[in-house]
């Protein structure tokens, strides 16, 4: 039991989230995300790690001629939803989380994370794990919603987050993921959207000054 919620409730919430995720996200995908995924992920190359692959929303944007994709998703309902979409042979979905990825060091050429770090319990641990499995000089592609720079929007995010986490699979509206990325990787390119509550980042796995 976690915070008064038993395992059965967690499983049921996972099934609900998987069943409605694509529908709920459709307007935002149409308005913004699909274009950004396409532009970002066409740059992915080599052996690619797709973190928290969910219902497989990134899968159509990988190039089968230049990539093989190792997608990790701990939620069974999300994996089942992805498999219903006829996953191509060059994409393998693994039932695991990002806190301990079952591969050797320096396995991947590219890491992709889209709208995932908002719901990861231990982001620092996951960033360290990414550094372990990503080759030196390997690139990372992020799309995330983040803590706003505006104090008024921050206040709204802080107020809504406790409730939002309960209904949106642990999603934090107020997590400064962009700052965490900068602490672990070298930023190549960064852009902000929607009053700076969404960011698209390209980073590299190189040693940074601390």
């Amino acid at each position: 039991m976690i915070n008064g919620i038993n395992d059965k409730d967690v499983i049921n919430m996972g099934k609900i989230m998987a069943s409605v995720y694509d529908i709920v996200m459709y307007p935002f995908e149409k308005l913004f995300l699909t274009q950004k995924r396409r532009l970002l992920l066409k740059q992915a190359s080599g052996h690619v790690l797709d973190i928290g692959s969910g219902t497989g929303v990134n899968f159509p944007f990988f190039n089968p001629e230049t990539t093989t994709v190792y997608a990790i998703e701990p939620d069974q309902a999300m994996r089942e939803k992805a498999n219903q979409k006829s996953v191509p042979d060059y994409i393998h979905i693994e039932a695991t989380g990002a806190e301990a990825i079952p591969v050797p060091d320096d396995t991947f050429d590219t890491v992709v994370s889209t709208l995932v770090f908002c719901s990861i319990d231990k982001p620092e641990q996951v960033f360290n794990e990414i550094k372990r499995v990503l080759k030196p000089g390997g690139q990372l592609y992020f799309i995330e919603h983040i803590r706003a720079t505006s104090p008024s929007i921050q206040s709204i995010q802080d107020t809504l987050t406790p409730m939002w986490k309960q209904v949106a699979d642990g999603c934090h509206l107020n997590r400064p993921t962009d700052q965490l990325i900068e602490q672990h990787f070298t930023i190549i390119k960064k852009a902000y959207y929607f009053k700076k509550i969404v960011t698209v980042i390209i980073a590299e796995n190189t040693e940074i000054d601390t």
Side-chain angles (χ1 to χ4, degrees):
M1 182 175 290
I2 304 174
N3 295 329
I5 302 174
N6 61 41
D7 292 343
K8 183 177 180 180
D9 290 334
V10 171
I11 293 171
N12 288 337
M13 284 190 292
K15 289 182 177 179
I16 293 171
M17 178 63 69
S19 66
V20 303
Y21 183 85
D22 290 341
I23 297 172
V24 170
M25 291 298 295
Y26 179 79
F28 196 34
E29 289 283 349
K30 195 75 173 176
L31 174 68
F32 175 79
L33 280 176
T34 295
Q35 179 193 30
K36 295 304 178 186
R37 291 185 201 273
R38 181 178 293 111
L39 291 174
L40 197 63
L41 300 186
K42 73 178 182 180
Q43 302 175 65
S45 62
H47 196 28
V48 178
L49 171 64
D50 187 4
I51 292 177
S53 55
T55 63
V57 288
N58 286 333
F59 295 172
F61 306 110
F62 292 116
N63 185 341
E65 296 181 0
T66 59
T67 62
T68 58
V69 180
Y70 182 83
I72 58 174
E73 173 52 59
D75 187 273
Q76 180 180 348
M78 286 288 191
R79 295 194 307 273
E80 290 174 352
K81 188 74 173 180
N83 282 315
Q84 291 173 10
K85 299 177 181 179
S86 185
V87 178
D89 291 341
Y90 72 96
I91 297 176
H92 170 73
I93 305 176
E94 185 76 18
T96 187
E99 292 80 6
I101 304 168
V103 300
D105 295 356
D106 303 336
T107 292
F108 298 104
D109 302 288
T110 307
V111 172
V112 170
S113 172
T114 60
L115 303 181
V116 174
F117 270 86
C118 57
S119 59
I120 286 176
D121 288 336
K122 299 176 180 178
E124 289 280 353
Q125 180 176 333
V126 173
F127 279 126
N128 288 330
E129 186 69 349
I130 290 173
K131 289 188 75 70
R132 182 185 71 80
V133 303
L134 181 62
K135 295 176 182 178
Q139 292 202 329
L140 303 93
Y141 301 102
F142 292 94
I143 301 175
E144 269 301 340
H145 66 81
I146 55 174
R147 184 170 182 82
T149 56
S150 163
S152 60
I153 298 178
Q154 287 179 0
S155 179
I156 295 171
Q157 290 176 318
D158 292 341
T159 299
L160 291 178
T161 290
M163 176 275 295
W164 186 249
K165 285 167 59 180
Q166 298 299 319
V167 301
D169 202 24
C171 174
H172 296 70
L173 296 171
N174 57 354
R175 179 171 284 170
T177 304
D178 56 332
Q179 297 176 27
L180 295 176
I181 295 169
E182 291 178 4
Q183 292 170 16
H184 291 81
F185 304 100
T186 300
I187 303 300
I188 304 299
K189 190 174 183 180
K190 176 171 58 175
Y192 291 99
Y193 305 91
F194 304 106
K195 301 292 185 180
K196 293 189 175 181
I197 62 172
V198 175
T199 187
V200 177
I201 294 176
I202 299 175
E204 189 172 274
N205 187 23
T206 54
E207 292 298 325
I208 59 176
D209 296 328
T210 56

